[in-house]
Amino acid sequence: MGRWGDFLKKASLVLIILFSLFALVGCNSKKTMEYRSDLQNVTDKMLENASEVEEMLNKYSTVWSYSIESRGAIAVEDMATITGLEQDVILEHFEINSIGNIPNDFSKNIHSLNSYFSETGDLEKLENASEEIKSKIKDLNNPPENYEKVYDEVLDMFTYTEEYIEMAINPDGSLQSFNESNNTLSAEILSKYKRIEAIMPNED
């Protein structure tokens, strides 16, 4: 009876250890899955932000180019057409000369469009989303071992999206350099997103 008692005690101890290990593994697995989900959400949000920035930058580029190529003042309806904005919005935010047209001054017109993005809250929305992403990335700065490379890629993508957002907030340079930066950053962001998707561990 004594032997069986000792055996049962040892068996019970083994079972307790095994259950503890299973519970620990289960807990770690749950945390890892949560980490993966949070990291994926941050990555998706950065891509969403970049998409919104791209629309703004393309509008800047269109207005910039049209203002340079125009041989005279620009009609309000023409500016409405190329920007996709309503004519009353153009009248409210763009400089209008004495005969009701917009001067073909690309600097002033870019500033007017930038003012529109600011007053409508579009730029603030981007900045707020960026701050939330930055905070979340800080929360995720202790990745599980198999997520370290993914996290590094996410950091790179964040750097690129911050530069991209800055272009929307402060458009400057020449039209050529602006377009080149737009194209380069857009490609880098998309490339990083695809790489993150490719190396993200599968926890299913």
Side-chain angles (χ1 to χ4, degrees), residues 15-201:
L15 286 173
I16 290 171
I17 291 172
L18 286 174
F19 280 130
S20 297
L21 287 173
F22 284 136
L24 182 61
V25 169
C27 182
N28 286 339
S29 177
K30 182 180 179 182
K31 286 183 178 179
T32 300
M33 290 181 70
E34 288 177 353
Y35 184 91
R36 184 188 191 284
S37 177
D38 289 342
L39 202 61
Q40 184 67 60
N41 288 339
V42 164
T43 306
D44 290 342
K45 185 60 182 177
M46 283 194 286
L47 190 67
E48 181 184 325
N49 256 17
S51 177
E52 293 179 7
V53 170
E54 186 174 33
E55 289 185 18
M56 293 183 189
L57 299 191
N58 288 342
K59 276 190 171 66
Y60 282 134
S61 180
T62 299
V63 169
W64 204 326
S65 176
Y66 194 82
S67 297
I68 291 174
E69 293 172 0
S70 176
R71 296 183 179 276
I74 302 166
V76 171
E77 56 266 29
D78 290 342
M79 185 63 78
T81 298
I82 67 169
T83 59
L85 301 175
E86 297 293 333
Q87 289 190 34
D88 59 344
V89 172
I90 299 298
L91 289 169
E92 179 181 354
H93 294 279
F94 281 73
E95 182 177 322
I96 308 297
N97 63 22
S98 58
I99 59 174
N101 293 324
I102 302 167
N104 62 332
D105 185 325
F106 73 86
S107 180
K108 289 182 178 179
N109 292 339
I110 291 300
H111 177 76
S112 295
L113 188 58
N114 179 255
S115 175
Y116 164 75
F117 288 142
S118 178
E119 290 182 29
T120 56
D122 291 336
L123 295 180
E124 184 179 10
K125 179 183 174 184
L126 286 176
E127 290 178 296
N128 289 342
S130 177
E131 283 301 312
E132 290 178 11
I133 290 168
K134 183 178 181 180
S135 176
K136 195 63 181 178
I137 287 177
K138 285 183 179 179
D139 292 339
L140 296 169
N141 69 353
N142 188 25
E145 185 176 352
N146 57 333
Y147 281 88
E148 290 176 354
K149 289 183 179 179
V150 186
Y151 182 74
D152 288 341
E153 296 291 340
V154 169
L155 284 180
D156 287 344
M157 185 176 175
F158 177 72
T159 299
Y160 289 134
T161 54
E162 286 294 282
E163 291 179 29
Y164 210 38
I165 290 171
E166 183 60 27
M167 286 186 67
I169 296 172
N170 295 305
D172 59 10
S174 67
L175 176 59
Q176 181 178 351
S177 67
F178 182 84
N179 286 338
E180 287 175 352
S181 295
N182 182 5
N183 293 334
T184 298
L185 285 172
S186 176
E188 291 285 5
I189 291 168
L190 185 57
S191 176
K192 282 295 175 182
Y193 183 84
K194 289 181 177 179
R195 176 162 173 75
I196 290 166
E197 290 289 285
I199 67 174
M200 183 79 78

